[in-house]
Amino acid sequence: MDSFYFENMDDEQEEPTGNGEHFEDEIKKISERIREGSHGSISSETLEEIVNYFFETQKFTDALPFINLLIEQSPYSSDAWLKKGMIYNHLQRYQDALEYFQEALKLNPVDAELLTGYGFSLDNLARYEEALRCFDKALEIDPGNEDSLFAKANTLEKMNRYEEAVRIFKFILDVKPDHKEALYELGFCYDCLDKFKDALECYDKHLSLDPYNYNAWYNRGILFNRMSEYSRAIESYDMALAIKEEFIVAWYNKGNAYANMGRLFDAIECYKESIRIDVKDVPSWHNLGNAYEELCNFRDGIKCFTQAIKLDPKHYESFYGRGSCYDSLEQYSKAYDDYNSAIALCRNYPELWHAKGDAAYNLGKWREALFSYKMTVRMDPYNLEAWLDLGETLLEYGYFKEALKAFNKCIELQPKWAEPYYSRAKVLLLMRKTFDAIESLKTSFRLDPEKKKAFEKEFPGVRSIKEFTSLLEQ
């Protein structure tokens, strides 16, 4: 913008000031006169320059009285209505923006820029199909319109139509290889498509053009985290944090990377930083609790999970975590209550049912334990530990045939695990199927010779029984 021309203010002609420090003061004077209704006849050109100035300085709220006056003077200017729609888009008042774009389109229905702005508003209202139709219309008018192409690709990305988005971003980059926004979004699409190498290449190219984009460094860290390259992930998070120190998700995910490396004390420091920035951040409280639990610091773990629950009473993961800590402290009643609270919030979580089964068993609630183990294997039929626990509980309470089925299922799933063969042998002995029991014990002892000692301890005097003498001496 080169100059302002302020005309006939209180019947006095004002000279253009040019670019300089007095712009804002002069605009304030005009604003005051507009509020007083004594603005005189400010020209459309002057109003356009003021609106453009506020666009350049991103002071969109300040632009509103001037764009309104411009529309009052030129109600049939599609450009003025377009500018008003764009202002409301920048203010994230997308529903209002739609109204102004519609007014502009009545005056000029074949303007690609208008259609793109209208589509952008629809996109931000999650009306994606309508947005795509707008972008396609714009591209029919102007097939190479970069803004329309980019906006369409972004909408496809939000719809998880990543392959289609990739094609458009690549087309943009063929024309303009240094389009840093397209490189960034293309990297994200490749990440979502699990094309890690391509994603990394895009992020690195983007960062060579825009090295201070902390979001790009953060996304690069997430990418390395997904690749299980945790040290490199931490390096990227550190770059993001060097640019934006209060970047809470970077601290949080840096903590996760340390936790994945087993560096739990470092992870704890990162989660504490997240909480310092936002004391109400539930995921950070939860993962801090997880870190303490892994360090067997169950009491601090309980405090963290309790805080997470206070902040979000529906956070079933924290009920589960706190229940696990109580379990480890042998406070089975509290653990049982927490598992029930978690299940009330999320019934389709097999690990929860398994944990509840263990707590119920430790409290002597064997019927609830059986029900919980059965729920576990119904949801997760490949859970070996749950099948074994179900079998052991059935065996303990005299349901031999059902126990045998459970142990057989364990063996079917993992034929090289000694434990279910050993437990099956006990059932067979109680069912007086001695020969089958011996065969099962042979397999168990072969897979784990320590099982012989366990068998003799559990069944003292068994060496005096002829059928078992040679088995135990092998």
Side-chain angles (χ1 to χ4, degrees):
M1 182 182 63
D2 296 322
S3 61
F4 289 119
Y5 294 91
F6 302 114
E7 298 178 7
N8 298 327
M9 294 174 57
D10 284 349
D11 299 322
E12 292 181 9
Q13 187 80 16
E14 298 217 5
E15 295 297 321
T17 60
N19 287 322
E21 59 185 16
H22 302 298
F23 278 13
E24 295 263 352
D25 290 337
E26 293 181 8
I27 291 169
K28 284 176 186 175
K29 291 176 186 176
I30 298 176
S31 298
E32 187 61 34
R33 289 184 168 91
I34 290 172
R35 280 194 293 272
E36 292 171 355
S38 59
H39 49 78
S41 56
I42 304 172
S43 73
S44 296
E45 290 80 6
T46 298
L47 290 169
E48 284 177 10
E49 285 201 72
I50 294 171
V51 170
N52 288 337
Y53 172 74
F54 282 129
F55 262 83
E56 289 171 13
T57 55
Q58 298 189 349
K59 296 178 179 179
F60 301 108
T61 302
D62 292 341
L64 283 174
F66 298 98
I67 195 66
N68 287 336
L69 188 56
L70 180 60
I71 288 171
E72 186 181 312
Q73 288 186 9
S74 307
Y76 300 108
S77 167
S78 63
D79 284 343
W81 286 106
L82 166 64
K83 278 281 172 67
K84 188 167 183 178
M86 290 170 67
I87 288 168
Y88 277 90
N89 266 348
H90 283 291
L91 294 172
Q92 299 180 11
R93 292 172 59 179
Y94 303 113
Q95 193 63 50
D96 292 325
L98 285 182
E99 179 186 336
Y100 306 124
F101 285 124
Q102 286 165 353
E103 288 297 325
L105 286 165
K106 287 176 189 175
L107 299 165
N108 187 2
V110 290
D111 186 303
E113 186 180 4
L114 257 174
L115 287 161
T116 301
Y118 189 40
F120 182 81
S121 298
L122 290 166
D123 171 276
N124 281 285
L125 292 167
R127 292 163 62 177
Y128 299 130
E129 293 293 348
E130 293 173 80
L132 286 179
R133 286 196 289 273
C134 280
F135 300 139
D136 285 338
K137 249 184 182 177
L139 291 165
E140 283 175 21
I141 297 162
D142 182 2
N145 188 300
E146 184 183 296
D147 291 337
S148 304
L149 286 165
F150 188 82
K152 180 179 179 180
N154 259 332
T155 298
L156 290 167
E157 182 184 304
K158 289 180 184 178
M159 297 170 77
N160 301 330
R161 291 163 61 176
Y162 300 115
E163 294 283 5
E164 294 170 77
V166 163
R167 285 195 288 273
I168 297 174
F169 287 132
K170 287 176 76 174
F171 177 81
I172 293 170
L173 289 163
D174 284 341
V175 177
K176 191 175 179 182
D178 61 347
H179 194 300
K180 60 186 180 182
E181 291 83 5
L183 282 165
Y184 177 84
E185 298 298 340
L186 182 58
F188 180 80
C189 288
Y190 279 138
D191 190 352
C192 294
L193 291 167
D194 295 335
K195 295 183 177 181
F196 300 142
K197 184 179 177 183
D198 292 329
L200 182 59
E201 185 180 341
C202 288
Y203 285 139
D204 285 346
K205 283 182 181 176
H206 170 86
L207 287 164
S208 70
L209 298 168
D210 188 1
Y212 295 102
N213 185 345
Y214 55 85
N215 282 312
W217 284 110
Y218 170 75
N219 281 8
R220 189 174 183 268
I222 293 292
L223 179 64
F224 280 126
N225 198 71
R226 295 186 67 210
M227 295 166 70
S228 300
E229 295 189 34
Y230 303 119
S231 293
R232 296 182 75 183
I234 289 166
E235 289 171 5
S236 288
Y237 297 138
D238 280 339
M239 288 298 293
L241 289 165
I243 299 162
K244 185 181 180 183
E245 188 178 352
E246 304 288 285
F247 195 7
I248 184 169
V249 289
W251 282 112
Y252 172 76
N253 281 288
K254 182 181 174 183
N256 290 345
Y258 275 130
N260 285 324
M261 295 171 73
R263 293 172 60 177
L264 295 170
F265 291 105
D266 290 320
I268 284 169
E269 292 309 308
C270 291
Y271 296 138
K272 284 181 176 179
E273 273 300 309
S274 297
I275 291 164
R276 179 189 63 78
I277 297 164
D278 181 3
V279 74
K280 294 183 178 180
D281 187 61
V282 172
S284 295
W285 279 111
H286 176 78
N287 280 16
L288 181 58
N290 280 339
Y292 282 130
E293 183 186 356
E294 285 192 50
L295 289 167
C296 298
N297 185 348
F298 303 118
R299 298 192 186 282
D300 281 341
I302 287 167
K303 289 176 186 176
C304 293
F305 291 129
T306 300
Q307 185 61 30
I309 292 164
K310 283 180 183 176
L311 293 167
D312 181 3
K314 293 185 178 180
H315 199 256
Y316 70 89
E317 299 96 327
S318 290
F319 279 110
Y320 180 28
R322 190 172 70 176
S324 297
C325 288
Y326 282 132
D327 226 331
S328 297
L329 293 170
E330 299 183 6
Q331 297 182 33
Y332 301 123
S333 183
K334 288 182 178 179
Y336 178 80
D337 289 342
D338 271 348
Y339 296 144
N340 272 332
S341 295
I343 287 169
L345 296 166
C346 179
R347 290 186 63 81
N348 300 318
Y349 191 6
E351 288 85 352
L352 266 175
W353 284 103
H354 195 177
K356 180 187 172 180
D358 289 344
Y361 177 85
N362 286 321
L363 290 168
K365 300 182 179 187
W366 64 272
R367 290 186 188 279
E368 284 207 49
L370 284 177
F371 178 76
S372 297
Y373 293 141
K374 285 178 180 178
M375 287 294 290
T376 306
V377 297
R378 185 182 300 170
M379 294 179 200
D380 181 7
Y382 298 99
N383 189 323
L384 289 169
E385 294 286 349
W387 278 112
L388 186 70
D389 288 340
L390 175 60
E392 294 284 5
T393 308
L394 288 165
L395 170 59
E396 186 173 343
Y397 288 95
Y399 295 95
F400 300 147
K401 288 183 180 179
E402 287 188 57
L404 189 60
K405 288 179 185 177
F407 296 135
N408 283 336
K409 185 67 179 179
C410 277
I411 291 165
E412 177 191 325
L413 293 170
Q414 178 49 276
K416 294 185 178 180
W417 188 23
E419 197 66 43
Y421 288 103
Y422 182 78
S423 295
R424 184 175 70 172
K426 291 193 289 183
V427 179
L428 291 168
L429 282 172
L430 291 166
M431 294 173 75
R432 300 180 184 278
K433 296 184 177 182
T434 307
F435 177 79
D436 292 335
I438 289 172
E439 290 302 310
S440 199
L441 284 171
K442 281 181 183 177
T443 307
S444 178
F445 296 167
R446 177 172 54 78
L447 293 169
D448 181 5
E450 291 299 311
K451 285 294 175 190
K452 280 186 184 181
K453 295 176 185 176
F455 183 65
E456 287 193 83
K457 187 175 181 181
E458 194 168 354
F459 297 93
V462 73
R463 280 184 177 274
S464 62
I465 302 171
K466 180 176 64 176
E467 290 88 342
F468 293 99
T469 304
S470 59
L471 174 65
L472 293 169
E473 290 177 353
Q474 284 178 7

